[in-house]
Amino acid sequence: MPTIGIFVNLQKDRYLDVTRQLVDELTHQQADFYLETSIAAALQIPEFGMEEEELYRNCQVLMALGGDGTILGVARRAAPIGIPIAGINLGRMGFLTEIEIGDLKKVVRQILAGRYEVEHRMMLAAKVTGPNRPEPLEIQCAMNDLMVTRHSVNRMLRVVLEANNGLLDRFSGDGVVIASPTGSTGYSLSAGGPIVDPLLPCMVVTPICAHTLHSRSMVLSRDEEIRIRAARPEEAMLLMVDGQESYAIFPGDEIAVARSPYEALFLRLQARDFYSLVRNKLWEWSQ
Amino acid sequence: MPTIGIFVNLQKDRYLDVTRQLVDELTHQQADFYLETSIAAALQIPEFGMEEEELYRNCQVLMALGGDGTILGVARRAAPIGIPIAGINLGRMGFLTEIEIGDLKKVVRQILAGRYEVEHRMMLAAKVTGPNRPEPLEIQCAMNDLMVTRHSVNRMLRVVLEANNGLLDRFSGDGVVIASPTGSTGYSLSAGGPIVDPLLPCMVVTPICAHTLHSRSMVLSRDEEIRIRAARPEEAMLLMVDGQESYAIFPGDEIAVARSPYEALFLRLQARDFYSLVRNKLWEWSQ
Amino acid sequence: MPTIGIFVNLQKDRYLDVTRQLVDELTHQQADFYLETSIAAALQIPEFGMEEEELYRNCQVLMALGGDGTILGVARRAAPIGIPIAGINLGRMGFLTEIEIGDLKKVVRQILAGRYEVEHRMMLAAKVTGPNRPEPLEIQCAMNDLMVTRHSVNRMLRVVLEANNGLLDRFSGDGVVIASPTGSTGYSLSAGGPIVDPLLPCMVVTPICAHTLHSRSMVLSRDEEIRIRAARPEEAMLLMVDGQESYAIFPGDEIAVARSPYEALFLRLQARDFYSLVRNKLWEWSQ
Amino acid sequence: MPTIGIFVNLQKDRYLDVTRQLVDELTHQQADFYLETSIAAALQIPEFGMEEEELYRNCQVLMALGGDGTILGVARRAAPIGIPIAGINLGRMGFLTEIEIGDLKKVVRQILAGRYEVEHRMMLAAKVTGPNRPEPLEIQCAMNDLMVTRHSVNRMLRVVLEANNGLLDRFSGDGVVIASPTGSTGYSLSAGGPIVDPLLPCMVVTPICAHTLHSRSMVLSRDEEIRIRAARPEEAMLLMVDGQESYAIFPGDEIAVARSPYEALFLRLQARDFYSLVRNKLWEWSQ
């Protein structure tokens, strides 16, 4: 039986009700499991606590209670280690959370028995180099997207994009978002990008509020390396990872975005229809 | 040495100047070649004439003089037989024409010597079935796109799209266009679809003027079969192939669109940068 | 008391239930009213029948039972005569239908007592001239929009638009739609146009699936005259009025679109919030 | 003869060549004129220097040398005092700069002789109130637009928009831009808004990267007051004026945007075709 590591988004399970339910079920089925130290303490089972770092190192399956945002963070950490994740949905319907609360009991049994498939999802990586960086900044894994925007409030950024064969596009605007197929339904969609089958081997490059009116969303092979820089060398920018982590980009820096060597692994416990998820989300968003 | 079949778009080579140049060069290099009967007659070399049908059957390489539109037509016919095409550009810059007139001499030598690569491009197929069709209508090959629109002038069509896993989308509008990766820079782009790497294994589904405002362009795996029908069973529609051939769709018909078993084969005589073509075309279009 | 003329969309009141209810109420309140001859016959009150033409000439208020489509047709006929219209909603929520069935009794009393306001809505007019027209074709009134599209199935139309000061825009695509402010929430919205306050003195010009990617929707003063012609003089086009009536546009024709000298008059029986209508419609459309 | 006040964008006239040319011409024509103290000093004519504040108070016509950005700043200051502005174009073609360098001589003569028209352009105003503001923050004049965006890097803002009649729209995204008709060709256009006749009495409200996919650009009457607030009361935002000045919006603040009581006054020295400017700009942007 795999050792289970449990992550909890406290904002979504404020009183730890669902976490306790999960813990009870795992105990009942005599599973090995651990939670973050603070959560274990709050549940008064400190012997099941482990530092975050340790959880990633010592568990064979991760269960994450929260919404898509929670899963994004766990996925970026779990991917380089190669541990699969099962997302338990505590919010509105999500693209990455697989399990509904009502199914906890059944699901725990399935996971412990190894009755699941593992879906591999492509991730993105970024490497930032520049005259003021003795060492490049490396982002190993982004699940949904990498976004590059102006750093200051001055309105327009002029961006140069290159790919394997040279110049890709050049435009003025608020910035550019490069999404994995999984991320096509995230910020990329708001910026005008298409909805992409999550298993298609590609990246989606979409200008954000381009003033260069002909600029369009582009779907590239995942084997491209996309280099991004400001046309004006004195311009600082901002790099955001999954909309959650931000990094300063110094004048003269170049950001190289490519497929990550790591993949996110998600437990699949049942057949899933991506397009039905999309329809439901679009519906939800239209309200 | 391969036997060369030559197709000419008479509107683009009105006085057959370029055709004559090509014929001279082929003669000079002692190649076997044929033209359509009428063109051979006009050039006063009737012995080099052949019926269109025969050209496809008896040649090993096709040379098509014209623009992208000319190539589309030849590609649909050549794909099932598996003959590669070399497009000679007589118009504005094109996505499918490989050869500029100034390079004719050099190019003929390359082709006769077999010094070229063959690029395989995915095509689409369609099968239309319905209560009033004893036999299904089969479209073997579409190079760029299949478009389904309202048949009459009454303004809005309600379309239902299904894919392998069931319902894909349902929307009201002018219709829907399904493009191959190659066709992503054609009509699909005008309808709001993304620019797609021509070698990506996918199809692009884009609603045309959707009144259902949340409908978005979708990039699907090329292994999907997309079924299209009118939500109102009494509604007739129109199916267009590459914007060149049109077919009536009767009330109650269903159109199944999938990857074609055939591929278009294009001669590549030099390295080519797709995104530089795109930039130049967008530039041209913006004028 | 005003004489009431009643128009019925038979597809929306198949068994004339609502019509009968209205007739009963009018009779009960001793109003003068007339219906189309065939409707009156079906209700077995032939003495209240009148030819369509006569209804427009002899009534002081029109009541139209149906949806927005029904109102569009009545509005085009009623505007030149200056009769106000009260739309009774038999379909889904509409932008032009004011009255819900449940309010019929109250509403009839209001109308007979003259307790209402009249809202004036700008309409469009078109004049088509050309070498093959001894007489220009004149469209006096369009309520929502005038749309010019390619006539045949060949894909792309090149359109030239001129306004008072000369060239406005020039683009390739499926056509162009010119909407009144009222029509901004109709087809114009699907083509990418903005939502416009129905009382703003303007016209909205929106390219349909422009291949010239920079083309944008334009909101012009209602005092502009917009002239539309095909860039290629041999090209035939199609002119559609409110998506309901279509006219052939011959090669060489020019279509001049301007504000109509007539206005549609709608009865307002209560305060109305346009943007709440919009939100509800967008919601409905997103389903 | 009017007293002329001269503003110079030093980044566009680095060596003051054009400024000197203008000063020479004004001297030659014996005009009264003043420049900012530092510019006058640099030109070694300190007796023609005046503090910025004084220039606005003591001149009857302002000449601004620079690009559209320069004019925006001068327009915001000049409008409440009611002085007309003549923009001299030192950059690429602009929407607000009227005069080309080659015409300086002629233009100075025209201005001194009073041979010009004054075009009145609507401006926007904003008033920010909230629990943590003893005094409201008042923005008297924005020439192009007011933009409200998220303050921090967390990705999505949920915005509530109300107008005179109550709720206008509610959506998630990067923010919202409210443009004057003049500003419709600025940032508003990048965000998907329409091009609007600069003299149309309206405001253009456009969501920025809305995740609520049905949200559309809206053209409202200039008599609306639009109230903007974050749906989550704890959310801070940022208010930008003409993309040049930024203000922090505290949690709980409400921003009321309306027509400014002041108008920008621009000298018109010749007939101008707005749509020809638009075409040229779109063309320029597409490069």
Side-chain angles (χ1 to χ4, degrees), chain A residues 144-145 147 149-150 153-156 158 170 174 177 185-191 195 208-214 238 240-244 246 282 285-287, chain D residues 144-145 147 149-150 153-156 158 170 174 177 185-191 195 208-214 238 240-244 246 282 285-287:
Chain A
N144 263 1
D145 48 45
M147 178 164 72
T149 61
R150 55 187 164 79
V153 292
N154 79 312
R155 211 118 100 177
M156 205 149 20
R158 189 141 181 91
R170 186 196 307 247
D174 280 3
V177 56
T185 48
Y187 186 81
S188 178
L189 190 60
S190 316
I195 292 164
I208 305 171
C209 289
H211 216 61
T212 313
L213 295 181
H214 68 242
L238 199 67
M240 295 221 41
V241 179
D242 289 342
Q244 296 182 333
S246 67
L282 292 185
W285 284 331
S286 38
Q287 292 176 32
Chain D
N144 262 0
D145 48 46
M147 178 164 71
T149 61
R150 55 189 164 78
V153 291
N154 79 313
R155 214 117 99 174
M156 206 152 14
R158 189 140 181 90
R170 186 196 306 247
D174 280 4
V177 56
T185 48
Y187 186 81
S188 178
L189 191 60
S190 316
I195 293 163
I208 306 172
C209 289
H211 216 61
T212 313
L213 296 180
H214 67 242
L238 200 66
M240 295 219 42
V241 179
D242 288 342
Q244 297 181 332
S246 66
L282 292 184
W285 285 330
S286 39
Q287 291 176 33

Side-chain angles (χ1 to χ4, degrees), chain C residues 128-129 148-151 154 156-162 167 169-176 227-238 249-256:
Chain C
V128 187
T129 51
V148 178
T149 62
R150 57 191 162 76
H151 190 272
N154 80 314
M156 207 150 17
L157 184 67
R158 190 143 180 89
V159 179
V160 178
L161 295 179
E162 291 175 331
L167 186 61
D169 198 1
R170 186 197 306 247
F171 58 85
S172 303
D174 280 3
V176 62
R227 293 175 302 283
I228 307 168
R229 53 190 170 75
R232 288 182 292 259
E234 73 278 12
E235 193 132 34
M237 303 190 291
L238 198 67
I249 300 300
F250 308 136
D253 274 354
E254 182 178 89
I255 306 159

Side-chain angles (χ1 to χ4, degrees), chain A residues 56 68-78 143 242 244-245:
Chain A
Y56 284 107
D68 274 3
T70 315
I71 313 290
L72 290 175
V74 175
R76 288 197 301 274
R77 299 289 306 278
M143 179 73 257
D242 289 342
Q244 296 182 333
E245 298 172 3

Side-chain angles (χ1 to χ4, degrees), chain B residues 145 147 153-155 158 174 185-187 189-191 208-214 238 240 242-243 246 282 285-287, chain C residues 145 147 153-155 158 174 185-187 189-191 208-214 238 240 242-243 246 282 285-287:
Chain B
D145 49 43
M147 179 165 71
V153 291
N154 80 312
R155 214 117 99 175
R158 189 143 181 89
D174 279 4
T185 47
Y187 186 81
L189 191 60
S190 316
I208 307 172
C209 289
H211 216 60
T212 313
L213 296 181
H214 67 242
L238 199 67
M240 295 221 39
D242 288 342
S246 67
L282 292 185
W285 284 331
S286 36
Q287 293 176 32
Chain C
D145 47 44
M147 179 165 71
V153 291
N154 80 314
R155 213 117 99 175
R158 190 143 180 89
D174 280 3
T185 48
Y187 185 82
L189 190 61
S190 316
I208 304 172
C209 289
H211 216 59
T212 314
L213 295 182
H214 67 241
L238 198 67
M240 296 221 39
D242 288 342
S246 67
L282 292 185
W285 284 331
S286 38
Q287 294 176 32

